[in-house]
Amino acid sequence: MTQDSLIIAGKTYSSRLLVGSGKYVDLAQTKAATEASGADIITVAIRRVNIGQDPNAPSLLDVVPQSRYTILPNTAGCYNADDAIYTLQLGRELLGGQNLVKLEVLGDEKTLFPNMPETLKAAEILVKDGFEVMVYCSDDPIQAKMLEDMGCVAIMPLASLIGSGMGILNPWNLSLIIEQTQVPVIVDAGVGTASDAAIAMELGCDGVLMNSAIAHARDPVLMAQAMKWGVQAGRAAHLAGRMNKKFAGIASSPLTGLVV
Amino acid sequence: MTQDSLIIAGKTYSSRLLVGSGKYVDLAQTKAATEASGADIITVAIRRVNIGQDPNAPSLLDVVPQSRYTILPNTAGCYNADDAIYTLQLGRELLGGQNLVKLEVLGDEKTLFPNMPETLKAAEILVKDGFEVMVYCSDDPIQAKMLEDMGCVAIMPLASLIGSGMGILNPWNLSLIIEQTQVPVIVDAGVGTASDAAIAMELGCDGVLMNSAIAHARDPVLMAQAMKWGVQAGRAAHLAGRMNKKFAGIASSPLTGLVV
Amino acid sequence: MTQDSLIIAGKTYSSRLLVGSGKYVDLAQTKAATEASGADIITVAIRRVNIGQDPNAPSLLDVVPQSRYTILPNTAGCYNADDAIYTLQLGRELLGGQNLVKLEVLGDEKTLFPNMPETLKAAEILVKDGFEVMVYCSDDPIQAKMLEDMGCVAIMPLASLIGSGMGILNPWNLSLIIEQTQVPVIVDAGVGTASDAAIAMELGCDGVLMNSAIAHARDPVLMAQAMKWGVQAGRAAHLAGRMNKKFAGIASSPLTGLVV
Amino acid sequence: MTQDSLIIAGKTYSSRLLVGSGKYVDLAQTKAATEASGADIITVAIRRVNIGQDPNAPSLLDVVPQSRYTILPNTAGCYNADDAIYTLQLGRELLGGQNLVKLEVLGDEKTLFPNMPETLKAAEILVKDGFEVMVYCSDDPIQAKMLEDMGCVAIMPLASLIGSGMGILNPWNLSLIIEQTQVPVIVDAGVGTASDAAIAMELGCDGVLMNSAIAHARDPVLMAQAMKWGVQAGRAAHLAGRMNKKFAGIASSPLTGLVV
């Protein structure tokens, strides 16, 4: 398992768990939960979290330093391509020219389901502008392929609605995406507990991104640890090749040859 | 998490994963997978596996020594109370008077579903005879309670048929048992992959016992590691208290107060 | 489909939907819903419903007459074999010596899960006493077989807890019972809506018994009609032989030979 | 229930089951199954089925006459907007100027999943050209809303892949669409058996369209009847308002006031 690393846009990461940085009660909790998660990549909602936009306020980077983590700017709160593109340009600037970003263009405030036409539009422009685009999307395999063909560096389908904790509602669509995709597939949104993360990895996902499931647990730091193990468990089970399911309940050893 | 130990019949175990010792290709694999699992308690089918019955054959205890593991004799292959009782008496003798045993009385060879009337009968006699009985049973909460009331030291409901790898077919019945039971509840049979183990622990089980899921994986040693993580993940998630599921997909942060 | 009848203890019934008579707001609703259901067999909780025990109170038989329906006395509210046996002896007497009865011995008031040891005990005594016993039971295939072997005339496993409306929680166990049983298998308890009834029938059940799902619907009479259709739909689908599920999504017709 | 009709583009239909006309072994079976289904609307793949394109071959309209059925031309086999538009123009011409059509633009031959960008493009052009567009789509609520806002007269999300018979894989997305949509929502694709149809209707769909589930059953005519009942059952259950699910298994009647 030592060489089983996640590679995104040519860079290697040791953890397959990516975490958000919002929704915590304070920066101390952010720091503790982030460390417990073992994550290398931390997403930051540029429109909501201070990483230098306000030089007089505490910065997330004080507790999640760039020296240790890859900070991944995201476009949470953007409902059209233009806002998303502008937000990521700002993020790139704040992070010293970093091209790796996470694009999400939302459809409405109620569901936070992706707006796929605007996502496709923004992705195309961003890729041409040199961004390495990790992209939040629906679990539609056809549009996921379009995003990959455009040059996105990671396909990030939802498992269920952002913040819902409902788990993987349609593993079949996810499987179609995993099967066809050459770049990493990272489940983004919907994971609610450790077994959800394990299931995503067992299906063959390359990683899982979450925020609410950790931040909204009763004990976020312990849940971060649980998620770390959940992702490791699912990844190892995927690589180990699970036993076949068999309904008939056949006795596992023949009755001939009993010792007693 | 350091003090989160499993206590059965007054004895403390650090791992909540219990593993079988059958179905491996050879003793070397048994040893490697058992070690990778991190398990403290190893079950042994007294009617099938040599732990001294045949002094001239290799013994399981050579690779799974009693100095390191708790060897738990079980009655796999027994279809009535008498056979089960006789088998456990033999197991006790082979293990130097150890009272801790696992009782399973099976209903038929096709399903290996427990025969509950014979299980109840055997459990009563064994408890009176001084055994500490961990008991394989159906997920019937009423009969599980009867077994607990008799003095069984662990209630071990099936998740699905032995050797089926179907996972937890009825989490509701399992929940009823967990809610009412004062001694450890350990899912026994049916786990197929790491997420199944995690789910069992998230539901509130105290442990999981498995054999086929490890031994019949493509890479049993790696799967044993996956299962170790799966149990840890599920236990930590249970203790951490998962977020509530909420379908409506409410935006996690208010749109007021955006930084950008 | 015309000859597709349900035969219990040698008697033929045209409907595969059996309904309870409790939980309605009044006898007028009982009458209307019962008629809409198309049921032939109506169960009556002898301990709760008046069918002559109190000659001065309105009788269920006024609206659900024996001339049109088979009245099936049941032992709802009984928690041991003795009470159940006594109750059914009373029922037989009230119904002019009718031997067809439904036995249910409950485990506790909270879950209403069957008490299987007491059920087995009562069934054995009742069968010997000449009763034709339709028996409510868990979905344990081994104990279901014991009940059949004793001479019960219908095996009636729960789909989920009485009054829960949770649907069929473990279709696998139900399938095992259906496969092995020579007398009718009738799902009893847990159906919540029409698709639940259809699923039970598609699995191969011979009938479905329900009460709460009809009586506790917003419009019981309309739900009774829905259940009638649901049972018919599921039965017809079972007989028609459903298409195989195939995940790969193969195009249904070859692209060669397009008309346009 | 008498006035519970399906209204599409201002026209009223008595049946909520819509059926395809392909995949049958011959026209006699087409006729018998179509009649048994009770459907009013029959879809026809203009690129595959002869309804006059070839005046010398047998026409579907001989067994499914326009005097009795609404023939709904569809674009099965089209993978881009242009082909779909051309095909529906041909269909309109063949059907004497009928504007009601079903649009489906597929993403690839393996999955037959919709190509949503091309679907949106085609729908916009067709609506402007005076067509009344019923549109096959993914279960993405945001894009479903775009199609409704364009003026499509029915939204037809897949339950699962065309021809898969997998049932409703994501009832949650379907619910979001149902909740927000003012025109009829008709599940199109994926239904495999009668209970699937019932579930779709219970969720609040206005209708169900299927083809393989009937044509590929062992007995298509009987399955057509089953589907008719399944849709009726689900619709009635939806209108009747099902009981709430309650896990705790509370006894339905108080134990006080027992008659016996």
Side-chain angles (χ1 to χ4, degrees), chain D residues 158-168 187-193 196 209:
Chain D
L158 83 178
S160 48
L161 298 180
I162 292 176
S164 71
M166 301 271 292
I168 299 173
V187 157
D188 180 6
V191 163
T193 187
D196 295 338
L209 190 157

Side-chain angles (χ1 to χ4, degrees), chain D residues 176-198:
Chain D
L176 290 173
I177 293 174
I178 290 165
E179 191 184 317
Q180 76 185 3
T181 307
Q182 305 302 314
V183 297
V185 174
I186 298 171
V187 157
D188 180 6
V191 163
T193 187
S195 58
D196 295 338

Side-chain angles (χ1 to χ4, degrees), chain B residues 13 17 22 46 53 65 73 92-93 105-106 110 113 125-126 136-137 140 151 155 158 185 193 214 227 230 236 254:
Chain B
Y13 302 91
L17 175 58
I46 294 297
Q53 302 96 311
R92 175 159 64 177
E93 192 178 307
V105 187
L106 304 177
K110 183 189 158 208
F113 200 91
I125 293 167
L126 289 165
Y136 170 62
C137 54
D140 170 340
I155 302 299
L158 82 178
V185 174
T193 187
I214 293 175
M227 291 299 185

Side-chain angles (χ1 to χ4, degrees), chain D residues 79-117:
Chain D
Y79 291 86
N80 59 61
D82 288 349
D83 283 357
I85 292 165
Y86 169 75
T87 300
L88 291 180
Q89 286 168 335
L90 176 59
R92 175 159 66 177
E93 193 177 307
L94 288 165
L95 292 166
Q98 174 186 306
N99 283 318
L100 189 72
V101 295
K102 185 191 142 194
L103 170 65
E104 57 180 271
V105 188
L106 304 178
D108 63 33
E109 292 185 29
K110 183 190 159 210
T111 65
L112 305 180
F113 201 92
N115 180 322
M116 290 303 295

Side-chain angles (χ1 to χ4, degrees), chain B residues 179-246:
Chain B
E179 193 185 315
Q180 78 186 3
T181 307
Q182 305 302 315
V183 298
V185 174
I186 297 172
V187 156
D188 181 5
V191 163
T193 187
S195 58
D196 295 338
I199 291 168
M201 298 307 295
E202 286 167 353
L203 284 170
C205 287
D206 298 282
V208 180
L209 190 158
M210 66 185 70
N211 188 353
S212 303
I214 293 175
H216 291 168
R218 197 174 53 229
D219 181 341
V221 178
L222 182 52
M223 186 57 92
Q225 170 66 71
M227 291 299 185
K228 179 182 177 178
W229 280 325
V231 169
Q232 289 177 322
R235 178 63 181 176
H238 177 70
L239 295 174
R242 64 160 292 159
M243 67 178 289
N244 291 323
K245 292 187 184 188
K246 50 185 170 211

